[in-house]
Structure formats: C-alpha cells, structure tokens
Amino acid sequence: MKILCPDKSEKTIEECAECAKCFPKPIMSMLLKGRNRKKKLNSKPRYGVTRLVGNCLRKTYYDLTEEVAMPLDKLWIFTRGTAIHEFVQKEIPEADNEIFKELIFPNFNVLGFIDAVHDGALYEFKTTANIPQKPQDAHILQAQAYYSMLDEAQRAKVEKILVIYFSMHKIKVFEVPARNIIPYLEARGAILTNSIEMKTPPKREEGYICSYCEHKDICFGHKLSTHNLSRKSEDLPVLSESSAQEPKTPKQATLDV
Ligand code: SF4
C-alpha cells in the first residue's frame, strides 16, 4: 500500500511513518499499523465475498490491478471501523466471532469471514457515516452470501440474519431474508476471473458508487490504466475480505460514504 501525501506525492508506509509531519507519532503508528503486509502469491485467485457482492465488479477489477495511494484520512475511517467491530465482538464468545468459510470452484475460491453467528443470529456489522433508511443491496447480498457459505448444520441454527449499522450517533438493526446465493457468487467470480485472464475490465455497473470510486478516471478513459499488462492472475494476491483496506484483522469494516 502507498500513502497519498497532502502534497500529492505517494509515499511508502516506511517513508510516511518516518516523516510523521501530518500527525504525532502515536497517531501515525495507529493509522499505519499492519498496512505493510506483503501480498501472497497464489496459483488460484481467492476473492473475498465483499469483492463479488460489491456494487461494481469493474471497480473490483481495478482494485486488483491498479495501485491507488490512500490518504491518511481514509485510513482513519478504516481503523475506526475495525475498532468498532472489535468493540462489539468482545461481547460475543470468541468461538462465534470471525468465522472463516471458503467456497472452492474450479478456477477460483471465495473467502468469507463472518462477523458472528451467535444465539440463532448471523451478524453483519457495518460502520457508516450515515445510517441508511434500508440496508444497502451489497450488504444484504454479503450477509446472504455468508449464510449460504455455512454448512447445513450451522444454517439450521440461524433463525435470523441481521445487518447492523453503527454511526457515530446511532445504531440500527435490519433483518434480511435468508437466501442461497452461491450461484450468484460463482457467476460473479467467473466474470472477474475471466476479465483478469483476458486483461479486460468487466462492464461498468454505474451508480452512486461512481462518485466515490478511486478508479473513475481510468474507468471512463480520462486516465491511462497503470497496471502491468503482463501480470497474470496467478500473480494476484490472496484477497482477504475488503483487502483493499489492508486491515490488521482478517475482516475490515466496510467503508460507507
Ligand atoms: S467509476 Fe463506476 S462504473 Fe467505473 S469502476 Fe468505478 S464504480 Fe464501476
């Protein structure tokens, strides 16, 4: 990961930590901790669920093939989200938290870290600036994907699926219907894998998210793609949940803007 300096230059994590002009060292340390993990190379792509259920598969493609420098303010949003996750998860027995699941398909795998399955409920926690009127489609799909990834015995114990939003001022709980969306995950993963192999981005899925997309200029042809076209899918990293955010924990809070 690179850091986008206020002077618009791009810095490595080490350079940013060494400089520390933006914030005092303890704050810099909090923001940069765990951001310098080396990406693992794998023979088979492994996509986090959030990559496949997000609003735009083309954005996911660019997330994987373009390196975008992050401003420190954005790292604070991620760090704060992780802290809220951990704060809530402390109230749930450890064995019921961060449940790892993996779906294996011929050309790729799908990884899921479920926030919690506890006392008859599957929980998906979201930190957000503003609580939505209804859960976002991508968040409903994410929770349903986790439900689909449970084995039969685990699914039988889930009576409800809850998506819970936390803002700085409020908490809101939504119940979403149970649904098996494994065919959807497989179809999205196949499109992404094929796009990476062909070095051709999937079609645009335009929506409100375009206003916040780091790849908008490349997507609409205002800027050239920078990714190395000789890169093969086997050079791509293991994609943990929300891996663009490079969290220290396996799963990072979703950034809602
Ligand atoms: S600008 Fe919009 S359509 Fe293009 S990659 Fe980003 S989210 Fe997708």
Side-chain angles (χ1 to χ4, degrees):
M1 176 187 278
K2 290 270 181 68
I3 303 298
L4 183 63
C5 219
D7 67 8
K8 304 289 180 221
S9 65
E10 293 185 7
K11 299 279 194 308
T12 65
I13 300 289
E14 291 82 4
E15 288 167 340
C16 185
E18 183 59 32
C19 167
K21 279 191 192 137
C22 290
F23 300 110
K25 287 222 167 178
I27 308 297
M28 295 298 291
S29 166
M30 171 192 70
L31 294 174
L32 298 176
K33 201 186 300 175
R35 309 274 175 202
N36 210 11
R37 289 180 313 162
K38 296 281 173 269
K39 291 175 174 174
K40 292 184 202 160
L41 301 181
N42 278 276
S43 56
K44 192 176 174 193
R46 300 168 81 203
Y47 308 123
V49 162
T50 48
R51 292 298 187 193
L52 300 180
V53 301
N55 293 302
C56 180
L57 215 47
R58 187 173 171 106
K59 181 178 182 310
T60 297
Y61 172 88
Y62 288 131
D63 284 343
L64 302 182
T65 55
E66 302 287 332
E67 187 167 36
V68 176
M70 292 275 179
L72 287 173
D73 284 350
K74 209 160 188 176
L75 293 189
W76 168 232
I77 296 173
F78 301 150
T79 304
R80 195 184 62 194
T82 302
I84 291 175
H85 266 71
E86 289 173 354
F87 195 57
V88 178
Q89 284 172 322
K90 266 198 290 190
E91 302 305 319
I92 296 172
E94 209 175 316
D96 294 349
N97 274 321
E98 289 292 343
I99 297 165
F100 175 71
K101 288 283 161 187
E102 183 162 14
L103 293 177
I104 298 172
F105 296 108
N107 298 326
F108 59 89
N109 293 358
V110 179
L111 312 180
F113 286 95
I114 307 171
D115 277 336
V117 179
H118 177 64
D119 210 11
L122 184 151
Y123 291 96
E124 177 55 30
F125 304 130
K126 296 289 173 202
T127 49
T128 181
N130 298 302
I131 305 258
Q133 293 296 316
K134 59 186 181 65
Q136 291 180 19
D137 290 345
H139 299 163
I140 295 173
L141 283 170
Q142 188 183 351
Q144 290 174 332
Y146 295 144
Y147 174 77
S148 311
M149 293 168 90
L150 293 175
D151 61 43
E152 217 170 296
Q154 290 171 312
R155 262 204 304 270
K157 290 185 194 154
V158 174
E159 293 156 20
K160 54 191 170 188
I161 302 175
L162 302 176
V163 177
I164 306 184
Y165 288 90
F166 298 87
S167 75
M168 292 303 275
H169 308 285
K170 277 188 174 181
I171 299 172
K172 194 158 181 181
V173 180
F174 294 97
E175 186 167 344
V176 305
R179 199 156 61 111
N180 180 354
I181 66 157
I182 287 179
Y184 175 81
L185 295 174
E186 183 173 12
R188 298 277 281 181
I191 293 169
L192 184 60
T193 304
N194 191 45
S195 297
I196 291 166
E197 286 295 326
M198 303 299 289
K199 303 181 177 73
T200 306
K203 67 180 175 60
R204 293 186 191 101
E205 297 176 68
E206 293 179 54
Y208 81 94
I209 195 164
C210 296
S211 309
Y212 307 101
C213 179
E214 304 88 341
H215 311 294
K216 195 173 180 184
D217 285 345
I218 293 174
C219 176
F220 286 92
H222 303 311
K223 196 174 141 191
L224 283 178
S225 164
T226 56
H227 81 268
N228 178 359
L229 288 176
S230 66
R231 200 176 183 198
K232 299 191 182 108
S233 63
E234 51 263 39
D235 298 329
L236 290 169
V238 170
L239 303 174
S240 66
E241 294 274 45
S242 307
S243 65
Q245 300 162 17
E246 303 287 345
K248 70 181 172 59
T249 51
K251 182 169 181 188
Q252 177 66 281
T254 301
L255 170 64
D256 296 322
V257 282

